[in-house]
């Protein structure tokens, strides 16, 4: 038996074993992996954020919840990747920007892009503008995606756009940004090409851009 409310509670409470077991049961019962994310896992981390804001949770509790989230995601990741066709549809370079260690949202975006059939070069977290530039030179992706969760680190996104411009690579890629403090207005300010509120929006945007690049 599975219960997505119980899965949400397991992640909020940081019960990794339970989170893994309920996720496995849900998958076996045929629940779509992206529904498991949107119904249980994403709301769980939102609740963790609210508790952090109310000073009910501090860093240790948040880390334990993040671990439970990871345990559940690891089961879903290969399933989401499988749902993309074998034929790779474009390439993306993704990373969380310099100074920022939040990688849960970025990892979800990576999973959704892989699920959409794209090859993803994952720069991890704390990725400097130089690393983005190097990765674009080396892998020549159609899409660059950046994630930031702190109001202080979101400024790094503009630096990556500038660094790609200075390296003569700006026109070769479409740049998307996301993460809790980021919005459409900020996208315009830094001259990125797209803002996405969630991982599904990221995948939709990337698909359109890859198709457009193919037409050129
Ligand atoms: C988990 C967490 C942590 C964990 C991170 C673990 C990890 N491996 O990621 C730990 C404990 C390490 C942590 C540390 C800190 N954190 Co913290 N953390 C959070 C928390 C609770 C959840 C974030 C999360 O995972 N959300 C779930 C994911 C799924 O959502 P998401 O990241 O937004 O991603 C979705 C979308 O935004 C979008 N998206 C994301 N990236 C991208 C990219 C693209 C291209 C697109 C299109 C879309 C997209 O798609 C995703 C999926 O749908 C948030 C609270 C919150 N509600 O956001 C605070 C929060 C982000 N943290 C905060 C703070 C202050 C910190 C610390 C500074 C605390 C401290 N005093 O040390 C440190 C900073 C460490 C650092 N240098 O990065 C603040 C930020 C405040 C601010 N405005 O800047 C928040 C908002 C909490 C709060 N309410 O105060 N944190």
């Amino acid at each position: 038996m599975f219960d997505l409310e119980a899965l949400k509670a397991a992640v909020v409470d940081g019960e990794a074993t339970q989170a893994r077991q309920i996720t496995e049961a849900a998958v076996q019962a045929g629940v779509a992996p992206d529904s498991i994310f949107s119904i249980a896992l994403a709301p769980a981390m939102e609740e963790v954020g609210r508790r952090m804001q109310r000073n009910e949770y501090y860093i240790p509790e948040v880390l334990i919840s993040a671990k439970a989230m990871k345990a559940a995601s690891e089961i879903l990741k290969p399933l989401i990747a499988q749902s993309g066709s074998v034929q790779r549809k474009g390439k993306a370079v993704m990373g969380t920007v310099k100074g920022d260690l939040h990688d849960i949202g970025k990892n979800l975006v990576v999973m959704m892009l892989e699920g959409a059939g794209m090859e993803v070069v994952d720069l991890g977290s704390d990725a400097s503008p130089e690393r983005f530039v190097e990765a674009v030179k080396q892998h020549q992706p159609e899409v660059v995606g950046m994630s930031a969760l702190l109001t202080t680190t979101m400024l790094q996104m503009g630096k990556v756009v500038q660094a790609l411009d200075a390296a003569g690579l700006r026109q070769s890629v479409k740049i998307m940004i996301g993460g809790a403090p980021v919005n459409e207005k900020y996208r315009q300010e830094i001259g990125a090409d797209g803002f996405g509120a969630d991982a599904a929006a990221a995948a939709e945007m990337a698909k359109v851009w890859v198709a457009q690049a193919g037409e050129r």
Side-chain angles (χ1 to χ4, degrees):
M1 259 309 287
F2 72 92
D3 174 354
L4 292 181
E5 270 305 310
L7 175 57
K8 181 180 162 193
V11 172
V12 173
D13 296 340
E15 302 283 354
T17 308
Q18 227 174 321
R20 191 179 304 115
Q21 282 167 355
I22 302 171
T23 306
E24 272 165 357
V27 166
Q28 259 160 25
V31 183
D34 50 352
S35 306
I36 300 178
F37 271 116
S38 58
I39 297 169
L41 300 181
M45 291 315 287
E46 277 162 25
E47 174 59 22
V48 170
R50 281 192 289 273
R51 290 187 187 195
M52 203 176 172
Q53 245 161 356
R54 296 197 298 257
N55 290 328
E56 292 166 16
Y57 268 23
Y58 295 95
I59 302 292
E61 289 90 351
V62 178
L63 275 179
I64 295 168
S65 289
K67 240 186 189 163
M69 165 92 186
K70 200 166 173 221
S73 315
E74 271 163 7
I75 294 163
L76 301 177
K77 188 172 175 180
L79 301 173
I80 291 183
Q82 258 171 33
S83 65
S85 77
V86 186
Q87 174 97 44
R88 287 282 155 209
K89 297 184 200 102
K91 209 187 267 186
V93 164
M94 260 307 295
T96 299
V97 296
K98 189 173 168 185
D100 201 320
L101 303 176
H102 296 86
D103 65 357
I104 297 173
K106 185 267 298 165
N107 292 344
L108 286 181
V109 174
V110 169
M111 276 185 226
M112 289 298 286
L113 293 177
E114 286 176 345
M118 292 185 74
E119 182 183 339
V120 184
V121 179
D122 186 351
L123 303 181
S125 53
D126 193 21
S128 65
E130 297 75 30
R131 288 199 53 214
F132 276 97
V133 169
E134 276 313 307
V136 170
K137 269 191 198 151
Q138 191 184 338
H139 301 284
Q140 303 179 346
E142 291 92 348
V143 178
V144 171
M146 291 182 264
S147 182
L149 265 286
L150 299 171
T151 42
T152 46
T153 57
M154 63 190 263
L155 305 173
Q156 288 293 328
M157 293 175 153
K159 298 211 167 141
V160 173
V161 176
Q162 285 165 10
L164 286 170
D165 203 9
L169 298 165
R170 177 67 187 93
Q171 298 310 318
S172 72
V173 291
K174 291 279 191 185
I175 303 177
M176 62 180 178
I177 62 169
V182 179
N183 54 31
E184 172 60 24
K185 185 167 170 280
Y186 185 62
R187 174 199 75 75
Q188 287 175 15
E189 262 172 53
I190 65 170
D193 301 299
F195 156 73
D198 56 37
E204 279 311 310
M205 202 157 31
K207 267 197 254 179
V208 170
W209 287 344
V210 168
Q212 284 170 350
E215 284 161 17
R216 266 188 257 129

